[in-house]
Amino acid sequence: MLSLTSLGAAGTVTGSKHLLTHGDTRILIDCGLFQGLKNLRELNWQRLPVEPRDIDAVVLTHAHLDHCGYLPRLLLDGFSGPIFATAATRDVAELILLDSAWLQEKDAEFANRKGFSKHKPALPLYRVADAERTLAAFRPVPWHRPVALPGGATLRFRRAGHILGAASAQIDVAGRTFAFSGDLGRYDDPVMHPPEAVPEADYVVVESTYGNRRHDRADPVEALGETIERTALRGGTVVIPAFAVGRAQTLIHELWRLREAGRLRNVPTYLDSPMATSATELLHRHAADHKLDPADYEAACAAVTYVRDVEASKALSANRYPKIVISASGMATGGRVLHHIAAFAPDHRNTLLFSGFQAAGTRGRKLLDGARETKIYGQWVSVNAEVAEIPSLSAHADSDELMRWLSGFRRPPQRVFVVHGEPEASEALRERIQRELDWPATVPLQNRNYPL
Ligand SMILES: [Zn+2]
């Protein structure tokens, strides 16, 4: 008896967890945190509908928090199996999980000190020691080669583009083939290799972040350059909230290309995220996993000022000269970018520039939807700065590119499950799959078991 159950990223973009069950064998594909709207975040505190100790293995497609951030909690609740991932994903997960655990501990401590938690005492979802224990459970998997999973299943990773180490997972079990897209990147990304097709599958689980959108085909670097130049002419600063792993490195490269073309003179770039700085170093360690020439990348990195400590970060907020500040988190839900937004949003000369997907309920989405004020650290901040978006700089395929990846299957699958999208995006991609490919497609309901 074979079945699939999505425990997250079903009708939403975060909390990716897909459970593949065959007899007594349970394999969990991705194990992410819910982010964004409060009712979603609260799901991180509910027990899963499956006992973690009954899960035999986790397959991790990539190390963004919404795909790996629940892993330490899974171990705390009894999971003791291996976690299969590419070597680069394991290294990225180390940055992401240790940072996440540290933030969880700090938030709980802050809530206890200020006494504003319903829970007494407020507890972290997990601690740094739990994240360390999780990292010890990782089993690095080479690209393209079949690897044995529990229960006689096999796993094969192919490149998904998106971010360093990101993979699509083919899992063969009980004579059936499953293809999990993971998060798919863009086919012409300047940093990542393009997504690879999976030749055949009986069941496909595909992401749909931009299932209802087509990215602008114009060069996003041109839009980036224009936005910065327009802001600098006004004497303003451009604040770019960026995912520390993925977008921050692409932005560094694109800004360097603009400088090489003689643009952005006298507008310095600051990377204010210790995690993004470490992630930049990982590109050097995993040189085969991206397209950048080491010498170019060295030059691109040399054109950036790295801000490591908090005092220097605060000084940057106080500096009123035109400049570019790249800082995490990418959806402006936390991190150092918050005090830059607090400092720069009130002045109309500045620009807040979003380049990645902004989930419902996040500060980034509210600002893009036109919010004229935003609450940061308990204080209302008025937003008079320009708020701009270049979605084509995103690390996610648009709907045409999702269709292109799906057209790589040489025979029609029996069913496609459309996940990892907000309801309109998933529904739009589901309709497009049925209309253009005539394949049965379903947007799964969270925690519903689909027998196959
Ligand atoms: Zn991702």
Side-chain angles (χ1 to χ4, degrees), residues 297-318:
Y297 201 59
E298 205 74 51
C301 292
V304 172
T305 304
Y306 298 88
V307 182
R308 286 264 188 192
D309 63 83
V310 178
E311 288 314 309
S313 175
K314 287 185 178 151
L316 194 59
S317 274

Side-chain angles (χ1 to χ4, degrees), residues 42-307:
E42 282 172 351
L43 291 178
N44 293 324
W45 289 94
Q46 286 177 14
R47 294 285 297 199
L48 293 181
V50 55
E51 269 306 313
R53 82 171 71 86
D54 294 339
I55 298 172
D56 298 281
V58 174
V59 170
L60 181 61
T61 61
H62 71 288
H64 271 152
L65 197 62
D66 61 322
H67 290 257
C68 76
Y70 193 78
L71 279 169
R73 184 74 208 187
L74 195 74
L75 269 80
L76 264 178
D77 289 344
F79 172 71
S80 61
I83 301 165
F84 295 93
T86 64
T89 289
R90 189 252 160 236
D91 285 354
V92 176
E94 180 171 353
L95 297 181
I96 302 260
L97 291 180
L98 291 177
D99 181 72
S100 170
W102 185 79
L103 283 175
Q104 302 271 358
E105 285 193 28
K106 219 181 60 162
D107 284 353
E109 191 190 303
F110 187 72
N112 287 328
R113 212 169 48 229
K114 300 276 173 183
F116 64 47
S117 172
K118 289 190 296 244
H119 311 280
K120 297 216 174 3
L123 294 172
L125 193 59
Y126 48 81
R127 300 171 193 278
V128 169
D130 304 314
E132 284 167 348
R133 207 155 60 85
T134 304
L135 291 164
F138 273 70
R139 303 283 177 273
V141 173
W143 292 103
H144 305 123
R145 284 216 292 275
V147 168
L149 294 180
T154 57
L155 161 70
R156 194 188 299 248
F157 278 140
R158 290 183 179 80
R159 296 190 190 281
H162 191 54
I163 65 161
L164 193 69
S168 299
Q170 174 184 332
I171 296 177
D172 290 274
V173 58
R176 244 80 68 82
T177 301
F178 290 79
F180 294 85
S181 70
D183 284 7
L184 293 169
R186 311 213 55 204
Y187 281 84
D188 52 3
D189 191 277
V191 178
M192 301 313 303
H193 296 296
E196 292 175 334
V198 181
E200 281 185 83
D202 299 294
Y203 299 99
V204 176
V205 180
V206 65
E207 68 121 326
S208 58
T209 312
Y210 285 117
N212 57 347
R213 271 176 87 160
R214 283 192 175 95
H215 294 324
D216 191 348
R217 292 293 163 215
D219 185 1
V221 179
E222 191 49 45
L224 178 66
E226 277 171 18
T227 307
I228 294 165
E229 283 161 350
R230 176 167 79 229
T231 307
L233 267 176
R234 299 193 294 253
T237 287
V238 181
V239 176
I240 312 182
F243 293 98
V245 182
R247 277 318 78 182
Q249 290 73 37
T250 304
L251 284 164
I252 290 170
H253 183 256
E254 304 294 56
L255 291 168
W256 173 74
R257 271 175 61 196
L258 287 163
R259 285 184 208 287
E260 286 291 287
R263 314 252 314 250
L264 314 185
R265 289 181 193 280
N266 306 320
V267 192
T269 304
Y270 295 88
L271 180 63
D272 184 12
S273 162
M275 184 162 53
T277 306
S278 306
T280 303
E281 288 158 10
L282 283 185
L283 284 182
H284 291 291
R285 196 186 303 169
H286 297 281
D289 285 346
H290 61 82
K291 302 200 288 200
L292 296 178
D293 175 80
D296 283 0
Y297 201 59
E298 205 74 51
C301 292
V304 172
T305 304
Y306 298 88
V307 182

